[in-house]
Amino acid sequence: EVQLVESGGGLVQPGRSLRLSCAASGFTFDDYAMHWVRQAPGKGLEWVSGISWNSGSIGYADSVKGRFTISRDNAKNSLYLQMNSLRAEDTALYYCAKAHSGWYIPNWFDPWGQGTLVTVSS
Amino acid sequence: DIQMTQSPSSLSASVGDRVTITCRASQGISNYLAWYQQKPGKVPKLLIYAASTLQSGVPSRFSGSGSGTDFTLTISSLQPEDVATYYCQKYNSALLTFGGGTKVEIK
């Protein structure tokens, strides 16, 4: 069974940094692209970032470009999101999601983890 | 950037009704469209990919159609367990945009 377990969320002040992790199991991690998607409280889904199987192709939403960095460690079956210069509008539940193939695009997401909550507030 | 617009934003229908949700792309995206279901307090779940291919295990009352700019998700006979918010998502290019969502309730 595919399992994705996010961690690293919490309360952080505006302007500070946070690093999210996603531990994957139940599939061959380095065969698949991975993505981060967030959902602000009571709002819809927003794609944040994606990375191909070999980290050779990476993309970001305009809202996080230059502040967030996605990475992966295939030896550890783990996905990461380094979030710098955090803003109040980054407050959200952050999901990691497995892509259908190893390429960053085109791709859909299945399954999703349970999410980790990031709250940016002073 | 290609925008994805869903309509309606919410709907209320009776059990057994046929429900249709539309998703419009601001530019053509071929059939690079997925649909997700998010039940209250739960994780999003993939329903359909490639605009019309049903994900394994998804009930056959769900179907998708469309290509280019106009897409639909249809629930042929609404069931109480279908209460959820439904999202479309394009995945043809670098920005994998979601629609705003359609909340489906039982009348």
Side-chain angles (χ1 to χ4, degrees):
Chain A
E1 180 194 4
V2 173
Q3 281 203 316
L4 301 169
V5 180
E6 301 92 336
S7 61
L11 175 63
V12 62
Q13 293 180 328
R16 303 299 292 266
S17 300
L18 208 59
R19 188 195 196 205
L20 305 183
S21 299
C22 172
S25 62
F27 65 102
T28 305
F29 184 71
D30 55 11
D31 277 351
Y32 295 92
M34 297 292 294
H35 292 259
W36 288 99
V37 179
R38 69 184 181 184
Q39 186 169 34
K43 301 297 184 181
L45 302 173
E46 180 187 15
W47 173 77
V48 173
S49 182
I51 185 169
S52 63
W53 68 278
N54 63 353
S55 304
S57 183
I58 286 174
Y60 298 96
D62 290 344
S63 57
V64 306
K65 196 175 295 182
R67 300 187 299 123
F68 290 11
T69 302
I70 192 172
S71 63
R72 63 190 294 161
D73 185 335
N74 287 345
K76 294 183 177 179
N77 288 351
S78 293
L79 174 73
Y80 306 101
L81 186 68
Q82 177 67 42
M83 304 186 297
N84 299 331
S85 304
L86 282 162
R87 306 166 179 168
E89 54 265 36
D90 296 318
T91 294
L93 186 62
Y94 284 73
Y95 297 102
C96 73
K98 173 183 167 288
H100 173 69
S101 75
W103 305 111
Y104 160 52
I105 53 167
N107 240 317
W108 54 90
F109 308 149
D110 180 59
W112 302 46
Q114 293 295 316
T116 186
L117 182 63
V118 173
T119 303
V120 183
S121 174
S122 54
Chain B
D1 299 351
I2 298 175
Q3 306 302 314
M4 305 301 293
T5 303
Q6 282 184 240
S7 60
S9 57
S10 65
L11 66 88
S12 181
S14 299
V15 173
D17 281 356
R18 183 181 184 89
V19 169
T20 299
I21 298 168
T22 66
C23 179
R24 176 163 290 175
S26 58
Q27 298 176 39
I29 59 169
S30 184
N31 69 335
Y32 292 104
L33 188 98
W35 289 97
Y36 300 87
Q37 174 194 62
Q38 186 177 31
K39 295 184 178 182
K42 301 297 185 182
V43 174
K45 172 189 170 184
L46 176 70
L47 294 178
I48 287 168
Y49 59 92
S52 61
T53 303
L54 201 65
Q55 172 70 347
S56 176
V58 173
S60 59
R61 62 180 179 275
F62 291 93
S63 64
S65 65
S67 183
T69 60
D70 294 316
F71 302 87
T72 61
L73 173 70
T74 300
I75 308 172
S76 60
S77 176
L78 187 67
Q79 300 301 304
E81 59 266 34
D82 300 334
V83 168
T85 300
Y86 295 84
Y87 295 93
C88 63
Q89 179 218 1
K90 75 156 187 78
Y91 55 88
N92 67 311
S93 63
L95 300 181
L96 288 77
T97 311
F98 288 91
T102 296
K103 187 175 184 179
V104 174
E105 298 177 320
I106 301 291
K107 192 181 294 182

